[in-house]
């Protein structure tokens, strides 16, 4: 029996085989015995003939070469095709079982999807001959044997078709497309610090200096190490864009001055300095220590000497009243007037966020248990900042919100919604009506060489902005003396987690602290977890704890210290406020933020958020330490000036000069006319 190749239409040119002829054809092939393991069954060959017409066009599109199928080592379905071929062989080994011949036919159709592609292309190598269907099984078997042998010539060995397939478990990884080259065009930022034309001119000026220095380095480079420091044209462009983008993001408020200073720095830079910078940059890329890492503050004084010297930074207590500090305890008459005014108003307040009026219900409203009226609150949680002035005499800076960077004058209504309105009061008499102020009492148990960094966190309640966390650390070694949560007097409206860092889970799960017990936080097992804080019963207990750590002479260090002292209802005469040490260039009421001061003065990052969309808030211990570092920086600078004026250290004591003198031309000289 000869099998004739079918045309692409899929129709047979010869007489088609009947079902009885197919069965006889399969039984005859089964009689070849186990010696025909390497040959395909006639059911498979007939399967190929039947489907050749359907796949002819697909095969022609793929080329004339033999396609690699599963029988040549590839498992397209992830299954075990070797076991399937062994099953075919075992069935063929019994020539007397016609039922197994039917199984072969069924198996051929069942597993045909794994075998057909290879058989289709292999069968195309056979020489076509006219179809002569015969009823003689022997002749049919002989012709089929020749066909099988011709088909197996494609493999390197008779058993190659039944070799164990090598599975391809992973797909070949796609090559990362090369990064497109950039041009000297300012990158798109979420908020632009200047107009596009201004940024473009500044980038070109910065790139010009990079090209000049790189050209000088290229001419001077003689050894291999120097040649590796040379930048390509694209690298120079990327460096200019990277540096401009970094200034635009990190120095947004002073973008114009910052980038112009950088341009002037490179304009004055010499070749040795450029070469040194390139070497430092190469080391940083290779994972070595960066030269931009923040350096420790070295004051040149011991810890007791620093505490002694820091007292010279204490602000006069009489002059603190204009900055919001409370200097005297309110009288009982003033407190009663404040209470009467609140009752007369019916507890109607102005929202601290959206400025809408609402009514607050201490102890909850009886009919529905509500704490506040007038629905939800839509507001901007970010503070207001000023943009840099653009070019031109009539240009002005804009006021924007840090949360969404929208203009304040746009009247957008807000970008965040809270379930209730909140309020706060700064009236001293009203603050005292809930919890009166108290002066720091004398405490002989406090060491004389102690200074404390102090910070508090507040949340909104039905009585306003109340204390919910108090932290005190020693200065300058930053040992935690107290860090405790505080249960406020009123019902909580909003813990202000965005800034306080205190969550409802922290308040609920905190262990109750009683006076006399250990108040220190429980250290977390993992460094990534926050310490487990204990909670005081009320602000009275928290203030008593603070009074046990300080005396009237103990310097209290903080940032915006009047807010923390007013929340604690404390009057302390010895205060060092970093807001007063580093005033804003616009003056009060504008203030430099603690995060901004740490970044610009010490190159240290604080209050970093892993997810800007869900900020975790501040850490009062981190803020207290940051304020202490700013004070140490001031101590270092002030001590240098005092040394220039003749101050010295004698017997571990800071001693002033006997006479006032100045340094003129590097030599000491007495001041005249003083």
């Amino acid at each position: 029996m000869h099998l004739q190749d079918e045309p692409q239409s899929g129709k047979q040119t010869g007489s088609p085989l009947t079902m009885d002829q197919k069965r006889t054809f399969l039984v005859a092939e089964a009689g070849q015995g186990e010696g025909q393991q390497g040959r395909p069954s006639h059911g498979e060959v007939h399967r190929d003939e039947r489907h050749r017409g359907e796949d002819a066009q697909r095969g022609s599109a793929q080329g004339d070469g033999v396609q690699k199928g599963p029988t040549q080592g590839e498992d397209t379905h992830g299954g075990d095709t070797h076991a399937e071929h062994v099953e075919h062989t075992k069935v063929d080994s019994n020539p007397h079982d016609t039922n197994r011949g039917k199984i072969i036919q069924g198996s051929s159709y069942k597993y045909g999807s794994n075998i057909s592609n290879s058989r289709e292309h292999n069968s195309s190598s056979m020489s076509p001959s006219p179809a002569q269907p015969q009823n003689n099984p022997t002749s049919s078997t002989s012709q089929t044997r020749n066909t099988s042998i011709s088909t197996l010539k494609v493999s390197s060995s008779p058993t190659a078709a039944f070799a164990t397939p090598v599975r391809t478990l992973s797909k070949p990884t796609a090559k990362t497309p090369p990064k497109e080259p950039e041009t000297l065009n300012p990158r798109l930022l979420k908020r632009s610090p200047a107009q596009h034309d201004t940024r473009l001119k500044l980038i070109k000026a910065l790139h010009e200096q990079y090209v000049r220095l790189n050209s000088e380095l290229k001419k001077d480079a003689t050894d291999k190490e120097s040649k590796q420091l040379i930048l390509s044209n694209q690298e120079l462009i990327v460096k200019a864009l990277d540096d401009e983008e970094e200034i635009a993001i990190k120095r947004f408020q002073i973008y114009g001055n910052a980038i112009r200073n950088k341009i002037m720095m490179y304009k004055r830079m010499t070749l040795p300095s450029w070469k040194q910078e390139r070497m430092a940059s190469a080391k940083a890329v290779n994972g070595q220590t960066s030269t931009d890492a923040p350096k420790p503050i070295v004051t040149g004084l011991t810890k007791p000497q620093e505490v002694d010297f820091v007292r010279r930074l204490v602000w006069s207590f009489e002059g603190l009243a204009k900055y919001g500090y409370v200097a005297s305890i309110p009288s009982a008459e003033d407190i009663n007037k404040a209470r009467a005014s609140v009752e007369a108003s019916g507890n109607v307040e102005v929202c601290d966020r959206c400025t809408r009026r609402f009514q607050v219900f201490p102890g909850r409203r009886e009919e529905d248990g509500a704490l506040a009226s007038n629905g939800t609150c839509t507001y901007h949680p970010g503070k207001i900042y000023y943009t840099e002035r653009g070019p031109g005499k009539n240009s002005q800076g804009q006021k924007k919100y840090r949360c969404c960077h929208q203009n304040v004058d746009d009247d957008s209504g807000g970008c965040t919604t809270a379930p209730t309105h909140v309020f706060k009061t700064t009236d001293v008499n009203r603050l005292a009506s809930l919890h009166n102020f108290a002066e720091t009492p004398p405490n002989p148990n406090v060491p004389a060489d102690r200074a404390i960094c102090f910070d508090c966190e507040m949340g909104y309640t039905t009585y306003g902005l109340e204390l919910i966390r108090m932290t005190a650390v020693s200065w300058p070694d930053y040992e935690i003396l107290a860090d405790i949560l505080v249960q406020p007097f009123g019902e909580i409206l909003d813990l202000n987690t965005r800034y306080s860092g205190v969550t409802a889970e922290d308040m609920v799960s905190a262990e109750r602290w009683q006076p006399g017990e250990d108040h220190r936080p429980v250290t977390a097992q993992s460094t990534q977890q926050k310490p487990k804080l204990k909670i005081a019963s009320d602000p009275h207990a928290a203030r008593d704890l603070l009074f046990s750590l300080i005396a009237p002479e103990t310097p209290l260090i903080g940032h915006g210290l009047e807010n923390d002292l007013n929340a604690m209802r404390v009057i302390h005469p010895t205060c060092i406020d970093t807001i007063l040490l580093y005033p804003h260039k616009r003056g009060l009421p504008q203030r430099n933020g603690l995060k901004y001061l740490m970044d610009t003065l010490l190159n240290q990052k604080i209050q970093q958020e892993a997810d800007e969309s869900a900020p975790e808030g501040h850490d009062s211990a981190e803020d207290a330490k940051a304020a202490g570092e700013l004070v140490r920086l001031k101590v270092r600078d002030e001590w240098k000036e005092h040394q220039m004026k003749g101050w010295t250290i004698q017997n571990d004591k800071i001693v002033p000069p006997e006479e006032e003198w100045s340094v003129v031309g590097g030599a000491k000289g007495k001041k005249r006319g003083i």
Side-chain angles (χ1 to χ4, degrees):
M1 172 182 175
H2 297 279
L3 299 179
Q4 182 177 355
D5 288 344
E6 300 170 357
Q8 292 188 1
S9 61
K11 299 180 181 180
Q12 293 181 344
T13 57
S15 302
L17 295 176
T18 63
M19 185 59 68
D20 294 334
Q21 289 174 337
K22 293 178 183 179
R23 186 177 296 106
T24 306
F25 185 77
L26 295 174
V27 173
E29 175 62 16
Q32 300 300 321
E34 296 182 4
Q36 308 296 333
Q37 282 187 358
R39 304 172 184 175
S41 66
H42 290 291
E44 295 175 0
V45 175
H46 178 67
R47 167 73 165 80
D48 296 339
E49 290 295 324
R50 182 176 180 180
H51 291 275
R52 186 186 301 120
E54 299 174 358
D55 299 334
Q57 294 180 354
R58 188 190 316 162
S60 62
Q62 294 176 350
D64 296 334
V66 177
Q67 180 181 356
K68 181 179 178 182
T71 57
Q72 291 174 293
E74 182 179 359
D75 186 3
T76 58
H77 285 257
D80 194 349
T81 57
H82 176 65
E84 297 166 7
H85 290 296
V86 172
E87 179 183 354
H88 281 247
T89 305
K90 291 181 178 180
V91 174
D92 291 347
S93 63
N94 190 352
H96 302 289
D97 194 346
T98 57
N99 293 330
R100 294 199 176 190
K102 297 179 182 179
I103 296 177
I104 295 174
Q105 182 182 7
S107 300
S108 175
Y109 284 104
K110 180 178 180 180
Y111 301 105
S113 60
N114 289 342
I115 304 172
S116 60
N117 289 338
S118 176
R119 293 291 185 264
E120 289 162 8
H121 289 280
N122 292 342
S123 61
S124 64
S125 63
M126 298 184 297
S127 300
S129 59
Q132 299 177 0
Q134 301 288 339
N135 295 329
N136 188 354
T138 305
S139 175
S140 174
T141 304
S142 175
Q143 296 296 333
T144 307
R145 184 185 299 114
N146 295 335
T147 303
S148 301
I149 294 174
S150 299
T151 304
L152 292 176
K153 286 182 180 180
V154 179
S155 304
S156 59
S157 63
T159 58
F162 301 100
T164 303
V166 179
R167 300 184 182 180
T168 306
L169 298 180
S170 60
K171 298 181 179 179
T173 57
K175 294 184 179 179
T176 304
K179 188 177 181 180
E180 295 182 0
E182 294 187 86
T183 59
L184 279 177
N185 192 39
R187 291 172 179 167
L188 181 63
L189 301 177
K190 187 175 181 180
R191 50 171 181 163
S192 179
Q195 296 180 357
H196 181 273
D197 295 341
T198 303
R199 293 181 61 196
L200 181 60
K201 292 178 182 179
L202 294 173
I203 289 177
K204 288 183 177 179
L206 183 62
H207 177 261
E208 181 181 354
Q209 301 305 320
Y210 289 162
V211 172
R212 177 186 64 83
L213 293 169
N214 192 66
S215 301
E216 294 178 4
L217 179 60
K218 191 174 183 179
K219 295 178 182 179
D220 186 71
T222 55
D223 54 344
K224 183 178 180 181
E225 183 179 357
S226 299
K227 291 181 179 180
Q228 292 178 349
L229 302 177
I230 300 174
L231 297 175
S232 64
N233 294 334
Q234 182 60 212
E235 289 174 337
L236 290 171
I237 293 176
V238 172
K239 178 175 173 59
L241 295 177
D242 288 344
D243 292 349
E244 190 272 342
E245 183 180 12
E246 182 180 5
I247 294 176
I249 296 175
K250 296 183 178 181
R251 304 287 189 270
F252 184 86
Q253 297 179 352
I254 55 173
Y255 168 80
N257 293 335
I259 192 169
R260 288 183 177 91
N261 291 339
K262 193 175 189 69
I263 294 172
M264 291 301 300
M265 180 185 70
Y266 282 104
K267 192 173 183 179
R268 298 169 182 170
M269 183 176 288
T270 59
L271 179 60
S273 301
W274 172 256
K275 188 175 181 179
Q276 185 177 3
E277 180 180 316
R278 291 291 305 124
M279 293 176 64
S281 178
K283 291 180 180 179
V285 171
N286 295 332
Q288 300 184 15
T289 304
S290 174
T291 57
D292 296 335
K295 297 180 181 180
I297 301 173
V298 180
T299 61
L301 302 172
T302 62
K303 292 181 180 179
Q305 292 170 353
E306 287 185 10
V307 176
D308 184 23
F309 188 83
V310 80
R311 300 180 189 277
R312 293 168 175 80
L313 303 180
V314 174
W315 203 269
S316 173
F317 187 66
E318 289 75 13
L320 290 176
K322 61 181 179 181
Y323 299 112
Y325 287 80
V326 178
S328 60
I329 300 176
S331 62
E333 182 180 358
D334 294 336
I335 294 175
N336 292 332
K337 290 181 179 180
R339 289 174 179 170
S341 63
V342 173
E343 293 177 0
S345 66
N347 289 323
V348 175
E349 307 291 348
V350 177
C351 182
D352 188 37
R353 293 169 170 171
C354 67
T355 68
R356 293 181 62 184
R357 290 186 177 273
F358 71 104
Q359 188 176 10
V360 66
F361 307 105
R364 296 187 179 274
R365 188 162 54 183
E366 295 182 359
E367 52 267 27
D368 56 1
L371 295 174
S373 66
N374 212 1
T376 60
C377 176
T378 303
Y379 67 103
H380 290 283
K383 297 180 180 179
I384 297 176
Y385 70 94
Y386 291 85
T387 61
E388 194 73 16
R389 289 182 56 186
K393 295 182 180 180
N394 299 327
S395 62
Q396 296 180 356
Q398 295 180 339
K399 293 193 300 182
K400 295 187 175 183
Y401 295 103
R402 292 192 181 277
C403 50
C404 58
H405 309 295
Q406 295 182 7
N407 290 330
V408 176
D409 300 331
D410 290 348
D411 194 19
S412 60
C415 60
T416 304
T417 301
T420 61
H421 298 279
V422 295
F423 78 99
K424 72 175 181 180
T425 179
T426 56
D427 182 68
V428 177
N429 298 325
R430 187 171 176 183
L431 293 175
S433 64
L434 179 65
H435 181 204
N436 203 356
F437 285 79
E439 296 180 353
T440 305
N443 190 351
N445 298 325
V446 175
D449 59 348
R450 170 179 286 183
I452 284 183
C453 300
F454 176 62
D455 188 65
C456 291
E457 302 295 347
M458 282 75 76
Y460 291 102
T461 72
T462 53
Y463 293 120
L465 199 61
E466 289 195 64
L467 176 71
I468 57 175
R469 182 179 177 182
M470 186 270 293
T471 303
V473 298
S474 61
W475 186 89
D477 52 357
Y478 305 118
E479 178 187 357
I480 295 180
L481 301 178
D483 193 1
I484 193 169
L485 298 175
V486 182
Q487 182 68 42
F489 290 115
E491 292 83 6
I492 296 175
L493 296 176
D494 192 340
L495 287 172
N496 204 25
T497 305
R498 183 184 183 93
Y499 295 106
S500 67
V502 180
T503 63
E505 182 181 359
D506 297 335
M507 299 290 289
V508 172
S509 61
E511 179 185 351
R512 288 284 176 178
W513 171 76
Q514 298 295 334
E517 298 179 352
D518 186 7
H519 56 77
R520 290 174 296 182
V522 179
T523 305
Q525 298 179 354
S526 174
T527 56
Q528 298 180 353
Q529 297 178 351
K530 297 189 300 183
K532 193 70 173 178
L533 303 181
K534 299 180 180 180
I535 186 169
S537 57
D538 53 43
H540 283 290
R543 186 174 65 180
D544 292 341
L545 176 60
L546 178 64
F547 283 160
S548 67
L549 302 174
I550 62 175
E553 302 80 16
T554 304
L556 272 185
I557 300 171
H559 185 80
L561 198 56
E562 81 282 0
N563 296 321
D564 303 323
L565 291 177
N566 291 346
M568 292 283 295
R569 309 295 198 270
V570 172
I571 300 176
H572 191 75
T574 312
C575 299
I576 302 175
D577 198 335
T578 53
I579 285 181
L580 303 179
L581 294 180
Y582 302 97
H584 195 277
K585 62 180 181 180
R586 296 177 182 266
L588 292 174
Q590 304 298 325
R591 299 183 174 193
N592 288 319
L594 184 61
K595 182 178 181 179
Y596 169 78
L597 292 175
M598 290 295 291
D599 187 15
T600 55
L601 299 179
L602 296 177
N603 196 26
Q604 296 184 17
K605 309 295 183 182
I606 64 170
Q607 301 173 1
Q608 296 296 302
E609 299 289 355
D611 185 4
E612 292 292 342
S613 61
E616 298 179 358
H618 300 178
D619 183 359
S620 57
E622 180 187 42
D623 293 350
K625 181 179 178 180
E629 286 293 278
L630 291 174
V631 171
R632 292 194 71 237
L633 178 65
K634 197 69 173 181
V635 168
R636 184 197 68 179
D637 297 340
E638 291 291 329
W639 172 239
K640 288 181 180 179
E641 293 185 5
H642 279 65
Q643 284 180 308
M644 296 292 291
K645 296 178 181 179
W647 290 67
T648 58
I649 298 177
Q650 299 178 7
N651 299 325
D652 294 334
K653 298 288 185 181
I654 299 177
V655 180
E658 297 179 358
E659 296 179 336
E660 290 194 10
W661 54 278
S662 62
V663 176
V664 181
K668 297 179 180 179
K670 293 183 179 180
K671 285 187 176 181
R672 300 178 181 271
I674 299 180

